[in-house]
Amino acid sequence: QIQLMQSGAEVKKPGASVKVSCRTSGYTFNNYFMHWVRQAPGQGLEWMGWMNPNIGGTNSAQKFQGRVTMTRDPSKNTAYMELSNLRSDDTAIYFCVRRRSGDYPFDYWGQGTLVTVSS
Amino acid sequence: QSILTQPPSVSAAPGQKVTISCSGSSSNIGRNVVSWYQQFPRTAPKLLIYENNKRPSGIPDRFSGSRSGTSATLAITGLQTGDEADYYCATWDSSLVEGVFGGGTKLTVL
């Protein structure tokens, strides 16, 4: 079955970086874009960006441009999201989400990774 | 402030019907298809409706979606206590070139 398995919770200090991994199985990794969505405590969902696993191209929300880096390792069917210069308001659960290119939904989600930013 | 506007909360009695609205603009809902997600506490969202009104396999027909102009609606009939969750609408915004979500609606089944 299709699975997106994310790395474990992280605690970081302000100004540091965090890298979250998303290991996929059960489908052809290159056939679906990988998106990242986050959810701050008690808040709604916020789209961060996408990565095209075929060529590694990326696009991110303007809010995160310059701070987010999305990469992949096709040999491991794994996507990565790195967020730098962390602030306290980056404390959130980060989800990787699969989506086919075009007008398609976010159909499979990772379980989420809690990132806590605290001094 | 979310690009798509949803009511913060809705409630209804078991067995009743409830609707959740999602209001956007010509650059998002007016141009792209809408999907809906159900989220229980401490779990990842789950796809409920896609392409405005289609249900993935396994989603009961008590859940339905529609879109008209720059708004979309999720309807849930025959409410059950197990439907208590947060519901989010989502689409693509062609002007921002970004994915956008509604702020979420908490459904309470009284």
Side-chain angles (χ1 to χ4, degrees):
Chain A
Q1 74 278 27
I2 296 167
Q3 289 189 315
L4 283 68
M5 293 296 297
Q6 298 185 223
S7 47
E10 303 259 16
V11 179
K12 296 291 183 180
K13 294 191 181 303
S17 297
V18 68
K19 190 172 185 177
V20 178
S21 67
C22 175
R23 178 169 51 87
T24 71
S25 61
Y27 73 97
T28 302
F29 182 68
N30 283 353
N31 286 355
Y32 291 79
F33 281 33
M34 190 63 75
H35 293 246
W36 292 87
V37 174
R38 77 176 187 180
Q39 186 171 36
Q43 302 300 308
L45 302 171
E46 182 177 32
W47 182 82
M48 297 181 68
W50 57 253
M51 179 201 62
N52 179 344
N54 273 306
I55 58 175
T58 63
N59 185 43
S60 60
Q62 187 172 12
K63 174 179 181 176
F64 299 103
Q65 287 177 6
R67 284 209 303 144
V68 69
T69 303
M70 291 168 282
T71 58
R72 88 288 192 213
D73 183 342
S75 69
K76 296 181 180 179
N77 292 331
T78 299
Y80 303 91
M81 186 283 298
E82 183 171 19
L83 189 62
S84 63
N85 196 18
L86 290 168
R87 307 184 291 256
S88 58
D89 62 358
D90 290 318
T91 293
I93 298 174
Y94 290 77
F95 296 100
C96 59
V97 196
R98 188 186 85 157
R99 181 176 184 259
R100 194 184 290 273
S101 175
D103 218 351
Y104 293 95
F106 302 111
D107 60 358
Y108 282 88
W109 297 62
Q111 83 275 20
T113 296
L114 174 62
V115 175
T116 303
V117 183
S118 174
S119 55
Chain B
Q1 191 83 4
S2 301
I3 297 292
L4 305 180
T5 301
Q6 297 180 232
S9 63
V10 295
S11 62
Q16 297 299 304
K17 174 183 177 179
V18 71
T19 61
I20 298 173
S21 61
C22 176
S23 177
S25 69
S26 58
S27 65
N28 44 65
I29 293 179
R31 184 172 301 187
N32 300 294
V33 295
V34 176
S35 52
W36 289 88
Y37 302 85
Q38 178 189 57
Q39 185 182 33
F40 294 107
R42 295 173 297 282
T43 66
K46 173 185 174 182
L47 178 62
L48 203 60
I49 297 287
Y50 67 101
E51 291 181 22
N52 304 323
N53 55 19
K54 297 179 180 177
R55 285 175 286 105
S57 173
I59 301 299
D61 58 7
R62 299 187 299 106
F63 295 89
S64 63
S66 63
R67 180 186 68 168
S68 178
T70 59
S71 293
T73 301
L74 173 70
I76 310 172
T77 60
L79 275 173
Q80 302 174 2
T81 56
D83 295 332
E84 283 202 339
D86 294 325
Y87 293 84
Y88 293 89
C89 58
T91 187
W92 193 256
D93 190 294
S94 298
S95 293
L96 297 173
V97 195
E98 295 181 5
V100 289
F101 287 92
T105 298
K106 182 176 182 59
L107 168 63
T108 300
V109 181
L110 302 168

